Amino acid sequence: MQPSILEKIKKVVGSKHYYDSPEDRISYSFDGTPMLQQLPEAVVFPQNNEQISELLHLANKEKFAIIPRGAGTGLSGGSIPVENSIVVVMTKWNKLLEIDSANLTALVEPGIVTGVLQKEVEKLGLFYPPDPGSMNVCTIGGNVAENAGGLRGLKYGVTKNYVLGVEMILPTGEFLKIGGKSVKDVAGYNLKDIVIGSEGTLGIFTKILLKLIPLPTKSKTITANFKKIIDSGKSVADIISSQITPSMVEFLDNTTMNCVEDYTKIGLDRNSEAMLLIEVDGRGSSVDEDAETIVSILKKNNAVQIRIAENAAEALLLKTARRSAFSALARRKPTTILEDATVPRSELPVMIEKVREAASNFNVAIGNFGHAGDGNLHPTCLTDERDSAEITRAHKAFAFIFNEAIKLGGTITGEHGTGLAKKDFLESAVGKEGIEFMKKIKMVVDPNNVLNPGKILTLAPRCEGALPVKREQIPDYNAHH
Amino acid sequence: MISPKDKAVLLKFLPNDDILTQCMHCGMCLATCPTYELTKLERSSPRGRIKLIKYVAEGKLELSNLFAEEMNFCLDCQACETACPAGVQYGKMVESARVVIEHSNVGSSKINKVIKKFLLNSVVAKHSRLKLLARFLYFYQNFGIRTIAIKLLSIFPFAKKMIEIESLTPKISKVFSSEGLKEITFPENPSKYKIAFSTGCIMDIAFAEINFDTVDVLQKNQCEIITPKNQVCCGSLHAHNGEIEKAKELAKKNLDIFSEFEYDFLISNSAGCGAFMKEYIHLFVDDPQYSEKARGFSIRVKDISEFLANIEPNKQMSPLEEKVTYHDACHLCHSQKVMEEPRKVLQQIPGLNFIPLEESTWCCGSAGIYNVTRHDDAEKILERKMKNLQETGADVVVTGNPGCIGQLKHGIEKYGLKMEVLHTISLVKKSMDRNI
């Protein structure tokens, strides 16, 4: 990028909020996604709506790209820079502006950390259910952009079910307000559902209005282990068909369980093939009845070691352990490529088998875990980014898994988004017409393709950062060792 | 590009590629990092720093002042290691980056590096010189000189910061523990455990009472205590500040000295020292001469709270009615993973009104010599700790590390709180004394 353009960008946000050192560019060249990286030209922290709008005007005029970013914990590469781009970081917009207990809403800035918001509303007996694994770090803005899910999706739905309105700056610099506190609102197109999950390609959020619900007063957390993986799948199917809706039904296979146990040391059974973590919540005695029914279903399906958490602290420990699963798998191998193929719930046992098949067919280690209750699995390839042959095999294994998921009536991503990581597979999930429709929307809203280009839809540019090298490949390394 | 000399240092000291690659940059560390919380910049975060170190190791980023700044900005509190499900060894990486910085032309000025090196390697590392300096300090602190000096200095506006840092100097003990303690202390009752006691350097000269308390409580718990006279600094300050060679030299001396005695456990009451002495085993893993010795040594090292929580304690304690809260020293909770034990020890004190501290594992800003070398940053970190402490309404805050004790005392004075700061063992001792 020309220095004169960078100067103009600096002038918009002020030199105190502008960073372009190599150190800053490197540390904003990646997010939570494995192996993808690209240096941005600069990193900026805008202070107000006007600055964001000006940045977008400038981008349209000078033809550079803008990459919006929250905490950078995304898993599909949504916030990774592309060539000739600047990163716009929203983490300092982290105020909780209003909790309206009469209408059960919360108005927040997009940079507020999901877990922080949850703690605040829970103090008032209210509840914001979406709980992605990274909830203690990730931001609401990022959650809305990715339409993030979480453990409680089964009963409570995902982020989109809690967004009442957004305020945003469009790619061409205009301010747009969508929705409001009314529960019902059918004025015109449902624009909200287009911008939720738009992965930062249709606008930068500046305020978000969220729906809250009353906090359940009672919950029971149950874990069960299975000697045979198939029994865990059958248990999930039986629980769903018994017309109980637990708040979570989480699945961990043996590999995942062992890595989690290495980290948390909370006494998970290292020898069984699979484990389920189930929580029922609500108000009153129905919670106990549901828990009893679930325990009897688990027993019927040959569960061993059924454990009911004795108190809230123990329940939290178990759930926190589950949330660490993805990162804990990196104990086995440094590069963990995680996907979130999702199938209709009834097909879950088949899908678990297909993942095992992929691992053996393509000779890769796969740790499998996920939100069994809603059919959203996270098969994770345990690889080493420095081993290109293994990475190729991992990609083949995922192509196979995606294909199988779609054949079963599922999709390529349940909650992580398409971003850079899955755009090659998007057509197989949504069809040619689906992609064309999305492209048309993008081209009208962002005619110069300046906002987060190259994501979801294969519009140039591509992200191609330098690939990692082994130390042995560094000249002179061997001379010193 | 990088100079050949720098490159040689890099390749010699930076951890191997497997350790650098283990971070999968998921970001779970961000919420626990005090420096990231201050700047909200990725380069001040654990995963950001790891990425920078990796770039330097691969020769894609030159050593720069900004790089040095970020490595030194880190408190090395290792809260990120506790938060990291992948088990990334962050501390190892940042400490090795500091070694590289100390050997290079980047970072603080040459003269600062020389002064720091002198203080660490020629004063702290030589206990006799440290004691000599402490004698001067004692004289300075106790015969009116300090009062005059501060009054004189406070005339000059530029000296404000100097006075503030000066106030962090711990109050020197009248009798050093290395002189007040016998080489062998026998228990009151038949001996059940043979203990070697590490007196520490700062503990010895500035917190001697804590050392006396420690030996006293051990004595009442059927311990025979050996306090080797010629023991030296454990080397942790050196290792955390880029002087790894000196750290190893000191460690070897201690290994030789302690190997002359037979003991079941080696007790430390200073979290930083205990953490580093537990590390000796890894430090010498490839050293044919010292690996066995280091193994035998490190596996015996226990924090005083760790030891007391796992024995049948002397129950002759009388009730204490104070409201007590507990601050986790980073090197106890994050490095040694000792969290339950001190709480268990406190709960053995009858009548104690224990109030949990919000964010108890968040660094207080002491971080070894960080509150001196990076005073302004340390003050910002301290602010958060003080806010949480104030909310407890406790009369006493208990912790397990001399650095934290000093920093908390400073904070309590600065923010005008009414709170006493005690080491865990001193509270236990207090309860035992009331019994008499």
Side-chain angles (χ1 to χ4, degrees), chain A residues 19 21-24 26-35 37 39 45 69 71-73 91-92 94 119 133-134 136-137 263 323-324 326-328 330-331 334-336 384-386 466-471 474-477 480-481, chain B residues 4 7-12 14-18 20-31 36 39-43 47-49 51-52 54-55 57-67 81-87 358:
Chain A
Y19 299 86
S21 70
E23 288 78 5
D24 285 302
I26 291 166
S27 56
Y28 282 93
S29 67
F30 61 93
D31 64 9
T33 318
M35 294 191 297
Q37 57 177 320
L39 295 186
F45 292 76
R69 177 179 170 114
T73 55
T91 46
K92 290 185 184 174
N94 58 359
K119 255 194 197 155
S134 57
N136 289 326
V137 185
Y263 171 52
R323 287 198 176 95
S324 74
F326 163 51
S327 311
R331 283 171 180 264
T335 312
T336 44
D384 187 331
E385 60 190 11
R386 300 165 296 179
L467 282 171
V469 294
K470 281 194 171 180
R471 281 197 113 194
I474 305 169
D476 296 349
Y477 177 81
H480 293 280
H481 283 258
Chain B
K7 197 169 197 170
V9 173
L10 286 182
L11 295 171
K12 187 170 169 207
L14 287 182
N16 73 43
D17 198 42
D18 290 337
L20 290 173
T21 308
Q22 219 203 345
C23 169
M24 31 95 83
H25 43 85
C26 61
M28 296 292 241
C29 52
L30 296 180
Y36 175 74
T39 66
K40 291 263 191 277
L41 286 175
E42 284 276 0
R43 67 165 136 93
R47 71 168 175 183
R49 290 192 181 105
K51 195 60 122 187
L52 294 179
K54 199 164 156 55
Y55 264 67
E58 287 171 4
K60 292 193 284 191
L61 174 68
E62 274 185 66
L63 284 176
S64 64
N65 283 330
L66 189 56
F67 176 78
E81 287 199 15
T82 301
C84 179
E358 199 55 35

Side-chain angles (χ1 to χ4, degrees), chain B residues 221-280:
Chain B
N221 277 288
Q222 293 178 278
C223 296
E224 177 187 329
I225 307 118
I226 308 155
T227 313
K229 278 280 178 217
N230 46 357
Q231 55 180 292
V232 296
C233 169
C234 68
S236 93
L237 283 179
H238 306 81
H240 297 155
N241 287 284
E243 297 292 341
I244 190 72
E245 305 289 335
K246 193 74 192 176
K248 279 189 172 179
E249 187 191 315
L250 291 165
K252 281 182 184 174
K253 269 190 201 163
N254 274 333
L255 288 174
D256 289 337
I257 290 163
F258 281 88
S259 69
E260 284 170 23
F261 301 92
E262 262 184 37
Y263 52 88
D264 306 319
F265 300 107
L266 193 150
I267 300 293
S268 165
N269 56 17
S270 161
C273 307
F276 192 63
M277 292 192 293
K278 285 180 181 178
E279 273 296 301
Y280 283 7

Side-chain angles (χ1 to χ4, degrees), chain A residues 151-185:
Chain A
L151 278 63
R152 296 192 278 242
L154 167 60
K155 179 173 179 181
Y156 292 105
V158 296
T159 304
K160 72 171 177 192
N161 304 105
Y162 296 88
V163 179
L164 287 171
V166 296
E167 291 180 17
M168 61 198 278
I169 311 290
L170 295 174
T172 39
E174 297 87 353
F175 173 80
L176 174 69
K177 189 177 171 189
I178 301 172
K181 286 185 182 176
S182 311
V183 175
K184 293 179 173 174
D185 186 355

Side-chain angles (χ1 to χ4, degrees), chain A residues 7-309:
Chain A
E7 268 314 305
K8 286 180 192 167
I9 294 167
K10 191 197 258 185
K11 223 170 158 187
V12 172
V13 292
S15 57
K16 260 174 71 187
H17 309 290
Y18 170 92
Y19 299 86
D20 65 357
S21 70
E23 288 78 5
D24 285 302
R25 293 171 62 205
I26 291 166
S27 56
Y28 282 93
S29 67
F30 61 93
D31 64 9
T33 318
M35 294 191 297
L36 297 172
Q37 57 177 320
Q38 171 83 47
L39 295 186
E41 301 291 326
V43 180
V44 300
F45 292 76
Q47 301 299 296
N48 50 46
N49 286 9
E50 290 69 33
Q51 286 183 0
I52 298 175
S53 174
E54 258 183 79
L55 285 172
L56 284 157
H57 282 303
L58 198 61
N60 277 287
K61 196 173 147 219
E62 304 290 357
K63 305 281 178 288
F64 62 86
I66 285 186
I67 314 297
R69 177 179 170 114
T73 55
L75 295 166
S76 57
S79 58
I80 291 175
V82 296
E83 287 159 28
N84 196 38
S85 68
I86 64 163
V87 176
V88 172
V89 190
M90 297 300 287
T91 46
K92 290 185 184 174
W93 294 50
N94 58 359
K95 282 195 205 71
L96 171 51
L97 298 169
E98 181 202 65
I99 297 178
D100 180 344
S101 350
N103 286 304
L104 301 189
T105 62
L107 182 65
V108 300
E109 289 186 339
I112 190 169
V113 171
T114 310
V116 171
L117 168 73
Q118 285 169 337
K119 255 194 197 155
E120 286 304 316
V121 303
E122 281 169 28
K123 281 182 195 163
L124 303 171
L126 296 169
F127 190 32
Y128 175 73
D131 60 341
S134 57
M135 60 189 243
N136 289 326
V137 185
C138 64
T139 64
I140 290 289
N143 292 171
V144 176
E146 298 292 326
N147 190 10
L151 278 63
R152 296 192 278 242
L154 167 60
K155 179 173 179 181
Y156 292 105
V158 296
T159 304
K160 72 171 177 192
N161 304 105
Y162 296 88
V163 179
L164 287 171
V166 296
E167 291 180 17
M168 61 198 278
I169 311 290
L170 295 174
T172 39
E174 297 87 353
F175 173 80
L176 174 69
K177 189 177 171 189
I178 301 172
K181 286 185 182 176
S182 311
V183 175
K184 293 179 173 174
D185 186 355
V186 292
Y189 285 171
N190 186 1
L191 292 183
K192 218 172 59 187
D193 269 0
I194 293 179
V195 301
I196 297 169
S198 62
E199 303 188 20
T201 63
L202 297 180
I204 298 181
F205 304 132
T206 55
K207 273 181 198 168
I208 295 162
L209 183 68
L210 296 169
K211 179 174 102 174
L212 305 174
I213 59 173
L215 185 67
T217 50
K218 199 169 177 181
S219 66
K220 285 232 150 150
T221 307
I222 306 161
T223 61
N225 288 73
F226 298 88
K227 289 270 170 257
K228 288 210 174 101
I229 205 166
I230 189 84
D231 287 334
S232 64
K234 279 187 195 155
S235 302
V236 176
D238 284 356
I239 291 169
I240 303 297
S241 62
S242 74
Q243 299 185 352
I244 292 173
T245 308
S247 55
M248 60 180 75
V249 178
E250 295 293 311
F251 161 83
L252 287 86
D253 74 353
N254 178 276
T255 307
T256 314
M257 228 186 313
N258 271 290
C259 289
V260 169
E261 179 59 18
D262 285 343
Y263 171 52
T264 57
K265 301 186 178 69
I266 55 170
L268 303 181
D269 175 17
R270 288 177 180 273
N271 299 316
S272 50
E273 274 194 4
M275 172 185 151
L276 290 178
L277 168 69
I278 302 162
E279 187 171 80
V280 281
D281 68 1
R283 287 166 182 247
S285 61
S286 66
V287 176
D288 295 320
E289 288 161 23
D290 285 354
E292 269 168 43
T293 315
I294 286 170
V295 169
S296 66
I297 291 174
L298 291 170
K299 280 184 183 154
K300 200 188 82 194
N301 283 295
N302 311 316
V304 287
Q305 287 194 5
I306 299 172
R307 172 172 160 189
I308 299 175

